[in-house]
Amino acid sequence: MSHDATSNPYADPLRFGQRVQILRERRGMTQAQLADLVGISPHTLRKIENGQQRTPDLDRVMRIAEALRVRDLADLTGRPDGHVDLFVGPGHPRLAAVKAAIDAFTFPADVEPPPVAHLQVRLHAAWRTRHASKDHREAVGRLLPDLIRDAQALVRHADRAEERRMAQTLLAQTYSLSQFFLAYQPDSSLLWRVAERGMIAAQESEDPHAIGVAAWLLAQAHRDAGPRHFDAADAVNLKAIHHLDPFLPEAGDDVLAIAGALRFELAYTAARRRDTGTAWRQWDRAESMARNLPADYSHPVTSFGQAVMGAHAVTVAVELHQGGESVRQAARADRGVIGSRPRRARHRIEEARGYRLDNQPDAAMASLEKAYQAAPETIRYNGYARTLLLEEVESTRAPRRRRAAELADRIGILHS
């Protein structure tokens, strides 16, 4: 055996610490920033990185993985047998077909485009299906290949300027739907390709609503890429908000709502930065915009409206690591009814994160179970939910450990 070999890399504090340092620097984070996110002192983190302190317990390792947005736990622990995708799901069975449709290169003569009205009806139905389905990725993934093919064909066959703008609007909507399917899938390059194509199609359409939706999704892609991309996320958001401003005085509900959703995204990114004042100030502005919409209104893509603002407040508090505030906002959020199943499940996951921050693990487990009831495919592919469950599977409390293991098994985490 080589003199530098080790039978258990995870047990070697120097190797673990080096991995933490490398991953932290790749994210462009300082020791103080990471320590703050994890809930330890910079001095303690420094000792972990330089090998003066042993590898933390699983709970702390998971917190470090979450803060660094580590996609595979093995990258952090060094254990080849510890392959666990955290922020990327296992890959949906329909991913290959969706990818093939996106990547396909066809000539105008290859596909006969459908009538515009026909594609509009199908897209509208697809969005409704997504919001109503527990297994929304399966439902949408079944529809996307044909929608992508037909929307692309419609653009290629459009002759007049007006026809081409309408076709680009429908193509942008199709790419937006595709991004919801691709979120947390193990193909980040495909997600970026679709986000950029969606933005180009929206700009070509000159449709304010399509531009707003494409910008909303592109900003999220930047933000989820890590701290070094937060400025890019804000730039996209602000540019879109400024573009929409002249339309707002006479705009319909959908344009008003996407402007409000973009405003909230500024709050979300500020919270990721731990900029408390900006985060809550932007949330206030978004909430004010939501109040100008009908009480029962929900945006067809983003779910923005009065009912979702409580859920958004939970997200802001969680990203700011304000455990007590997260729990208070979660109690208030339950007064609103979120119509979309996947959005409702996402809120329950954020609620679980809040309870976990507030040291209420049993309440967190209850929220994850509610997320599963609302939309199993949301929790199955959500990195935060997977992280929370993996923590509790290792709990020293047998009832909680069994409860977590049962849910993890239903979701498929333990054998993914």
Side-chain angles (χ1 to χ4, degrees):
M1 181 178 290
S2 170
H3 70 278
D4 61 352
T6 175
S7 59
N8 185 2
Y10 182 62
D12 182 346
L14 180 60
R15 179 163 297 186
F16 176 80
Q18 286 175 327
R19 288 174 180 273
V20 172
Q21 180 179 355
I22 290 168
L23 291 167
R24 172 179 61 78
E25 291 175 349
R26 284 179 182 172
R27 283 288 178 191
M29 299 173 69
T30 67
Q31 285 183 329
Q33 288 171 329
L34 178 58
D36 185 39
L37 289 170
V38 175
I40 59 178
S41 70
H43 175 70
T44 298
L45 179 61
R46 195 174 304 114
K47 290 175 68 176
I48 291 173
E49 289 191 352
N50 65 25
Q52 294 177 347
Q53 182 163 313
R54 66 181 179 82
T55 300
D57 58 20
L58 181 62
D59 177 72
R60 190 75 71 191
V61 170
M62 287 295 193
R63 289 176 184 270
I64 292 172
E66 177 183 340
L68 293 173
R69 301 287 292 173
V70 174
R71 296 190 178 278
D72 186 345
L73 194 59
D75 292 340
L76 181 61
T77 65
R79 291 183 61 170
D81 61 338
H83 175 74
V84 179
D85 287 328
L86 295 177
F87 289 90
V88 175
H92 195 278
R94 295 191 181 275
L95 176 60
V98 173
K99 175 179 169 60
I102 292 168
D103 290 343
F105 180 78
T106 57
F107 291 94
D110 294 340
V111 179
E112 183 68 24
V116 169
H118 186 251
L119 186 56
Q120 286 176 320
V121 169
R122 287 164 57 200
L123 273 170
H124 181 68
W127 281 110
R128 289 174 54 192
T129 297
R130 179 188 180 271
H131 289 301
S133 300
K134 287 187 172 183
D135 295 325
H136 48 91
R137 276 192 172 82
E138 172 62 25
V140 169
R142 190 185 311 118
L143 301 172
L144 274 173
D146 287 343
L147 287 171
I148 293 166
R149 179 201 62 202
D150 289 347
Q152 290 174 340
L154 204 61
V155 170
R156 286 194 296 269
H157 283 80
D159 293 325
R160 295 184 295 110
E162 184 178 350
E163 290 178 349
R164 187 168 183 81
R165 284 195 296 271
M166 174 55 73
Q168 293 284 12
T169 297
L170 297 176
L171 181 59
Q173 291 177 12
T174 305
Y175 282 140
S176 295
L177 185 63
S178 301
Q179 284 177 255
F180 278 92
F181 175 85
L182 293 171
Y184 296 117
Q185 295 292 296
D187 195 336
S188 59
S189 63
L190 183 63
L191 177 65
W192 275 106
R193 194 150 67 249
V194 169
E196 290 168 351
R197 286 186 188 179
M199 190 73 249
I200 292 169
Q203 289 175 315
E204 290 290 327
S205 76
E206 300 180 12
D207 181 294
H209 181 252
I211 291 170
V213 171
W216 182 78
L217 286 162
L218 183 58
Q220 290 187 25
H222 279 296
R223 185 182 61 239
D224 288 345
R228 286 181 295 179
H229 299 265
F230 287 173
D231 287 347
D234 279 345
V236 171
N237 267 323
L238 289 169
K239 192 76 172 178
I241 288 170
H242 292 156
H243 178 76
L244 292 178
D245 275 345
F247 299 96
L248 298 185
E250 299 179 3
D253 289 341
D254 286 353
V255 173
L256 292 173
I258 194 59
L262 286 162
R263 182 64 63 180
F264 170 70
E265 289 304 308
L266 292 173
Y268 196 158
T269 305
R272 281 273 178 92
R273 284 195 178 97
R274 309 295 289 277
D275 183 349
T276 303
T278 300
W280 286 116
R281 185 167 60 253
Q282 294 292 0
W283 181 89
D284 284 338
R285 295 185 68 177
E287 200 267 342
S288 177
M289 297 172 79
R291 286 200 303 269
N292 291 327
L293 295 165
D296 61 348
Y297 173 86
S298 178
H299 187 263
V301 176
T302 69
S303 295
F304 186 85
Q306 294 184 33
V308 84
M309 289 312 300
H312 283 336
V314 174
T315 295
V316 169
V318 166
E319 293 293 347
L320 291 169
H321 281 225
Q322 298 174 344
E325 183 65 20
S326 302
V327 172
R328 285 190 291 274
Q329 293 293 347
R332 293 178 57 192
D334 270 346
R335 300 172 191 169
V337 178
I338 301 173
S340 169
R341 279 186 174 272
R343 186 61 187 85
R344 192 158 69 242
R346 169 67 188 278
H347 165 55
R348 293 304 183 187
I349 293 168
E350 296 293 278
E351 183 180 73
R353 294 176 67 200
Y355 281 124
R356 189 66 182 81
L357 285 170
D358 201 46
N359 295 315
Q360 299 187 49
D362 289 321
M365 276 301 308
S367 292
L368 290 178
E369 288 165 347
K370 290 177 183 177
Y372 182 82
Q373 291 166 7
E377 283 199 337
T378 293
I379 189 171
R380 183 173 296 128
Y381 292 91
N382 184 281
Y384 293 117
R386 294 164 68 87
T387 300
L388 288 171
L389 278 173
L390 287 169
E391 286 180 7
E392 295 307 332
V393 164
E394 298 291 329
S395 172
T396 58
R397 301 288 184 90
R400 191 186 307 147
R401 184 170 64 247
R402 285 194 297 269
R403 190 177 178 184
E406 288 173 2
L407 182 55
D409 186 58
R410 274 183 283 166
I411 292 168
I413 292 177
L414 297 183
H415 46 75
S416 61

